[in-house]
Amino acid sequence: MDSEANRETPDVESVVAILGQSATTLIQIISRHALDQDISLFLVGGVIRDLLLGRQNLDLDFVLESDASAFAHSLAGEFGGSVHMHPPFATAKWILDATAAANLRHSPGLTEAQIDFATAREETYPSPAALPRVIPSTIDRDLARRDFSINALALQLSPAAFRGRLVDPHGGRADLESGIIRVLHDRSFIDDPTRVFRAMRLASRLDFTIDAQTEALLHAAAPTISRLSGDRIRHEFQLILSEHAPELTVVDLESCGAFVAIDNAWLISDHLSEFFARCRKLRPPWQHSDYDLTTLYWHLLMVELPAEGVNALCDRLSLTRKLGESVASFARKLNMIDDLRDPTLLPSQITRLLDDASDMALHALWICAFDLPIVKQRIETFVDRWRNTRPRTDGNDLIRLGLQPGPRFREILERLRDAWIDGVIESEDEERELLHELLKDTSA
Ligand code: ATP
């Protein structure tokens, strides 16, 4: 970071160019604070990997060979903001508020920044796929517990004698130059099968190759994904689905057996890449407030599951109830896609088929139906007109006319609505006439 920094690390000018002035100033202030206390401080992991690749990453992770929480508190004491501690992992988050941002001359865009400090630690895994046990340690041991060589890099910021040293005990820099993802030891994927997801996500994001030995270990460990909790798997998918083109990772994951390890009925559609690309390129002619690209991808991940299997998978992955219900309604609608092609269907029948689908489920169905113009058109007209069509008569009118609420009551209202949707009636007078006829049938 300083101009006297050793030659293999990025200098201040290039750091500013990559991270921007604001984040660079922040790093310098934190470094200065550590230098003043003669504390051993490192910037680690993804930010160093990305700095060396010339990519911006504002997720700043610091490691100290001393108490992280005491350091975060002393920063908050001097500059403001608050500290959120997570004692089991010896980590502390410094959460900047407006005062801290002003004191740090921090740009408004980063006011919400959270800066992570961790005490250097080593980990043991009580059993495969369980969360690790943690004890304080050195930077070398801390880097040794990491996932891949390119993530096991640290830039020392303090004390002054070591400032600017790149700590690279696992050949991460060489692997960055060769574009290789490599684990640090043979048990890595067994200890933590989330690394299977991480390896593939990183490989496709950076366009790197997974080293042959690592690939073999990954394939051998893929079945152990089944031991991960639903929350951890969902979190990994959420990260994958937030990437620019997640379909590459999804296809790789399927070919290594990750999907069947989670649920043996979970297959990925042959059209998945096309569907995901459409999600990014095409927007339906209607707007919906709960639109979110990642949520849309979730629906399409389950295209090949039988509708009965969707609920079980949503439970396994602990999806929110809202997302689970939406995905399940999409699965039911997808089962009806052939019915929706029937040219003899009346608009009211189409409406009945689609009526209980969420906006997101309709959006996903529209993506799948893009090559079926009649279905696509019907979904669009349903959203634009049919689903909002209501008769002028309501339940209170029927009560005034002497009817008791019940099945017949509902049927009359539905018949009136259908007649509007199908164009059988087009005015209030025509609706009144039809209502009279229906009431005559009721009294007969
Ligand atoms: P991204 O750019 O996707 O955020 P990142 O590498 O910064 O990638 P984080 O999840 O923020 O990823 O993790 C920060 C660092 O923590 C990683 O660079 C890696 O060194 C380490 N790490 C994260 N997850 C694991 C894991 N499952 N096993 C070992 N080390 C991990």
Side-chain angles (χ1 to χ4, degrees):
M1 289 283 307
D2 275 354
S3 43
E4 70 267 23
N6 106 21
R7 264 182 303 128
E8 61 186 358
T9 59
D11 58 22
V12 176
E13 288 72 30
S14 55
V15 172
V16 172
I18 298 165
L19 296 186
Q21 186 62 59
S22 184
T24 309
T25 305
L26 189 62
I27 295 168
Q28 286 173 324
I29 289 173
I30 293 171
S31 305
R32 173 62 44 207
H33 201 76
L35 285 166
D36 290 347
Q37 300 181 30
D38 213 24
I39 278 175
S40 180
L41 175 77
F42 305 83
L43 193 54
V44 294
V47 63
I48 303 302
R49 172 198 72 214
D50 287 344
L51 266 177
L52 293 171
L53 289 172
R55 296 168 69 102
Q56 193 185 51
N57 182 342
L58 297 177
D59 194 355
L60 304 180
D61 289 321
F62 293 90
V63 167
L64 297 92
E65 286 176 324
S66 57
D67 185 352
S69 127
F71 186 68
H73 276 106
S74 87
L75 280 164
E78 180 162 347
F79 298 102
S82 55
V83 174
H84 185 86
M85 291 186 305
H86 190 46
F89 290 107
T91 57
K93 238 182 227 315
W94 181 25
I95 301 159
L96 303 187
D97 58 10
T99 316
N103 285 338
L104 295 163
R105 298 182 306 287
H106 208 38
S107 79
L110 286 175
T111 308
E112 305 290 308
Q114 301 189 351
I115 301 147
D116 289 308
F117 296 97
T119 301
R121 62 190 199 241
E122 54 190 280
E123 290 175 347
T124 53
Y125 288 84
S127 62
L131 288 174
R133 281 204 195 106
V134 169
I135 49 168
S137 190
T138 60
I139 189 69
D140 280 343
R141 296 264 175 117
D142 186 288
L143 294 177
R145 70 178 173 83
R146 293 184 181 252
D147 45 7
F148 313 119
S149 63
I150 60 167
N151 286 343
L153 289 163
L155 178 62
Q156 187 150 14
L157 303 173
S158 168
F162 299 109
R163 189 165 167 77
R165 177 171 74 109
L166 185 73
V167 190
D168 177 17
H170 303 280
R173 184 159 204 169
D175 284 345
L176 272 180
E177 274 156 22
S178 324
I180 284 176
I181 310 272
R182 195 163 47 82
V183 285
L184 308 188
H185 57 88
D186 287 359
R187 282 192 57 81
S188 187
F189 292 116
I190 303 281
D191 284 346
D192 180 356
T194 64
R195 293 172 187 163
V196 170
F197 297 89
R198 292 179 59 82
M200 292 194 160
R201 175 164 62 87
L202 213 49
S204 92
R205 183 202 298 169
L206 301 177
D207 198 16
F208 275 25
T209 309
I210 299 181
D211 141 86
Q213 167 75 359
T214 297
E215 173 114 29
L217 295 168
L218 181 153
H219 277 266
T224 63
I225 287 174
S226 64
R227 299 189 198 148
L228 289 171
S229 70
D231 281 341
R232 293 183 78 194
I233 298 175
R234 188 192 62 249
H235 178 69
E236 292 305 322
F237 271 111
Q238 201 61 33
L239 295 175
I240 289 167
L241 297 179
S242 307
E243 294 282 332
H244 170 65
E247 55 270 26
L248 305 172
T249 311
V250 170
V251 170
D252 286 348
L253 279 171
E254 184 180 40
S255 60
C256 83
F259 284 90
V260 287
I262 298 164
D263 180 329
N264 59 17
W266 197 2
L267 301 173
I268 294 305
S269 163
D270 292 342
H271 303 289
L272 184 104
S273 296
E274 209 178 313
F275 290 162
F276 274 27
R278 276 183 204 162
C279 290
R280 293 190 292 277
K281 263 199 315 247
L282 307 168
R283 290 296 287 270
W286 73 89
Q287 304 270 337
H288 54 105
S289 56
D290 59 354
Y291 171 75
D292 162 62
L293 184 58
T294 309
T295 310
L296 185 57
Y297 288 148
W298 267 114
H299 287 68
L300 295 162
L301 273 184
M302 304 205 190
V303 161
E304 287 295 315
L305 265 182
E308 324 71 76
V310 170
N311 285 334
L313 181 57
C314 293
D315 284 350
R316 166 75 177 95
L317 299 176
S318 310
L319 296 190
T320 61
R321 177 194 282 259
K322 184 175 174 204
L323 178 54
E325 283 172 0
S326 181
V327 172
S329 92
F330 165 63
R332 288 193 300 275
K333 301 305 154 196
L334 200 61
N335 274 350
M336 295 171 184
I337 209 157
D338 281 335
D339 301 342
L340 284 165
R341 297 168 76 170
D342 176 353
T344 66
L345 275 188
L346 292 172
S348 58
Q349 293 171 308
I350 299 167
T351 302
R352 234 181 275 289
L353 289 177
L354 295 177
D355 239 355
D356 60 344
S358 69
D359 274 331
M360 216 31 142
L362 289 167
H363 190 151
L365 194 66
W366 182 87
I367 291 282
C368 294
F370 212 80
D371 293 335
L372 304 169
I374 184 168
V375 180
K376 179 173 162 287
Q377 182 57 54
R378 284 172 162 179
I379 298 169
E380 289 173 11
T381 316
F382 165 76
V383 174
D384 182 45
R385 294 216 316 267
W386 300 331
R387 77 167 167 180
N388 304 316
T389 303
R390 297 280 175 276
R392 309 299 183 264
T393 309
D394 63 15
N396 291 328
D397 297 321
L398 296 188
I399 290 170
R400 267 197 297 279
L401 290 167
L403 251 80
Q404 299 295 320
R408 178 69 189 140
F409 192 93
R410 230 186 93 182
E411 192 192 320
I412 291 176
L413 293 175
E414 273 174 8
R415 293 276 297 272
L416 294 176
R417 182 182 182 219
D418 289 352
W420 276 103
I421 291 174
D422 292 334
V424 174
I425 56 175
E426 291 178 333
S427 69
E428 287 191 34
D429 284 345
E430 287 175 359
E431 180 176 325
R432 253 193 304 276
E433 260 174 53
L434 178 58
L435 178 60
H436 259 89
E437 277 169 37
L438 294 170
L439 289 173
K440 262 194 269 161
D441 290 351
T442 304
S443 48

